[in-house]
Amino acid sequence: MNKIKSIVVFCASSLGNSTIYEDQAKYVGYTFAQRNVQLVYGGGRAGLMGVVANAVLEKGGSVIGVIPHFLNSKEREHRGVTKLIIVDSMHDRKRIMNEYAEGVIALPGGFGTLEELFEMTTWAQLGLHGKPVGLLNINGFYDHLIKFMDHMVHEGLLRPENREMLLVGQTIEELLDQMENYAPQAVTKWIEKNEI
């Protein structure tokens, strides 16, 4: 078992329609602080992003925010984080977040969350990193996405072993346990000529 000391969290910059998302985001933050896991996130103060960061800080934990200057200029940054890094682009944001963290978790979110999650999962598939990447499936939020990924495997467009790279947990404790027991697989992406 590998103790993970720093995790990137991708999630919404809004709160959603159900209070369960806010409640669970807060609980994730409390759990990080309790386990001495440093939060690395997008640096915003709004939505679930802000909730997770505030919860970690409330319990005395460490938070690194990484935000592009065009968002920072709109005063969307969280000024109370342990360390705020201002970057030039969204790509720089993900690259630097990856450098600071030993794992990745996606909480509920929209297009931005999915884009960030799948870029990090693709990097793992290509062997650019060996970090665990997980979905926290709060209130069944990701059920349809999980079913769709299984459909991709069924249709022969995603290898089963690559599908298994994306961990899924119903609770933060379950997901952290999976991440700490994660062992990266050998890259098999380019074995067959006809695979995309």
Side-chain angles (χ1 to χ4, degrees), residues 10-14 21 48 106-114 136 141-142:
F10 298 126
C11 60
S13 59
S14 57
Y21 301 124
L48 299 181
L107 274 60
F111 283 159
T113 301
L114 291 178
L136 185 55
F141 181 81
Y142 283 116

Side-chain angles (χ1 to χ4, degrees), residues 149-169:
M149 290 187 295
D150 292 338
H151 176 68
M152 294 163 72
V153 172
H154 181 266
E155 293 299 309
L157 298 173
L158 177 65
R159 287 180 174 273
E161 59 268 30
N162 291 336
R163 161 66 187 87
E164 290 169 8
M165 286 180 170
L166 184 57
L167 308 174
V168 177

Side-chain angles (χ1 to χ4, degrees), residues 82-150:
T82 310
K83 181 176 185 178
L84 184 66
I85 301 170
I86 300 171
V87 297
D88 290 332
S89 68
M90 297 294 279
H91 181 74
D92 287 339
R93 181 194 221 179
K94 282 177 289 194
R95 179 181 55 79
I96 290 172
M97 291 168 82
N98 178 57
E99 289 173 4
Y100 272 93
E102 298 173 354
V104 176
I105 293 176
L107 274 60
F111 283 159
T113 301
L114 291 178
E115 185 271 330
E116 291 163 331
L117 168 72
F118 281 117
E119 181 155 7
M120 297 304 292
T121 307
T122 301
W123 289 3
Q125 180 180 260
L126 296 174
L128 299 177
H129 71 74
K131 303 170 186 180
V133 180
L135 281 176
L136 185 55
N137 192 25
I138 297 170
N139 198 36
F141 181 81
Y142 283 116
D143 284 354
H144 296 289
L145 180 62
I146 293 163
K147 187 173 181 181
F148 178 66
M149 290 187 295
D150 292 338

